Amino acid sequence: MGPSRPPLLVVCALRVERFALRRGTARVAEPVTVRRTGMGPKAADRAVRTALREPALHGAAVLTTGFCAGLAPGMRPGDVVVSDDGHESEALAAALKAAGHTVHTGTLAESDHVVRGAERAALAASGAIAVDMESAAMRRAALAEGAQHVAAARVVVDTPEYELVRVGTLRTGIIAFRVLGDLVPAFLDWHRTTALPWR
């Protein structure tokens, strides 16, 4: 009998994101630990470090997720953005595409506030395809705590055409909420792939 698979820690910032993910975990047989960090980089850093120091999460693979703002032309609410800031992105994107999701892989910019208008355009001009407030801090904290497998997948909730201040926000939020819960089986597929070479 081989070694047991390390745990999977899925981290998000908001209560609504955690609710969506727990709806997803209720539909799968394998255990997934979902933790809410709170909003913003500082809260995200602190919560991830605390979680990874728990004995039950020793050696966990870390997947950061939640909602994001899309920056690239042609993105739609409900699309999934996979950050290409590490070697895990290819396997995660493949698992999400195999599950039928529309996936964009590229730079996930970091911000400490909601971006709109000109600021959104400037981030897009820098080459980023999406932006959120916590993924980068979550990744830094996980790596600092020794995590070997870290990846980020975010669901687009608004785009330049459908900014959060617009009337369509409720509709786009519902779309993103449903997609986020549906990502859990693909997260597990990614986790199985990362677990293969572990000792």
Side-chain angles (χ1 to χ4, degrees):
M1 188 174 181
S4 61
R5 184 184 302 155
L8 172 60
L9 172 64
V10 177
V11 287
C12 61
L14 306 177
R15 286 188 178 90
V16 66
E17 294 168 341
R18 180 177 61 185
F19 183 56
L21 290 163
R22 286 186 170 171
R23 282 170 58 92
T25 59
R27 300 195 297 264
V28 298
E30 297 179 53
V32 180
T33 300
V34 177
R35 292 290 173 85
R36 182 179 75 88
T37 66
M39 186 180 291
K42 290 183 179 178
D45 179 281
R46 182 170 55 250
V48 170
R49 289 175 185 270
T50 299
L52 290 176
R53 291 170 185 170
E54 296 176 13
L57 291 173
H58 176 72
V62 180
L63 206 156
T64 77
T65 193
F67 304 135
C68 69
L71 303 174
M75 279 187 168
R76 299 177 62 85
D79 287 0
V80 183
V81 174
V82 173
S83 174
D84 65 355
D85 59 1
H87 65 282
E88 306 290 352
S89 60
E90 187 174 341
L92 179 56
L96 290 162
K97 289 176 182 177
H101 298 287
T102 299
V103 179
H104 308 267
T105 302
T107 300
L108 187 56
E110 179 180 17
S111 176
D112 61 2
H113 59 278
V114 175
V115 299
R116 298 188 180 96
E119 190 175 7
R120 184 196 290 264
L123 285 172
S126 75
I129 65 169
V131 58
D132 80 282
M133 296 171 63
E134 296 88 17
S135 290
M138 291 171 172
R139 175 180 171 78
R140 287 192 296 267
L143 293 174
E145 292 299 319
Q148 298 297 307
H149 299 281
V150 184
R154 290 267 173 169
V155 179
V156 174
V157 72
D158 73 326
T159 68
E161 296 80 13
Y162 298 97
E163 285 202 327
L164 286 172
V165 293
R166 297 196 177 183
V167 176
T169 299
L170 179 60
R171 181 178 62 82
T172 61
I174 291 171
I175 292 169
F177 177 87
R178 289 174 176 166
V179 171
L180 182 58
D182 290 343
L183 298 185
V184 173
F187 290 168
L188 283 167
D189 288 342
W190 168 79
H191 184 225
R192 293 184 195 103
T193 301
T194 65
L196 289 175
W198 290 41
R199 301 288 186 268

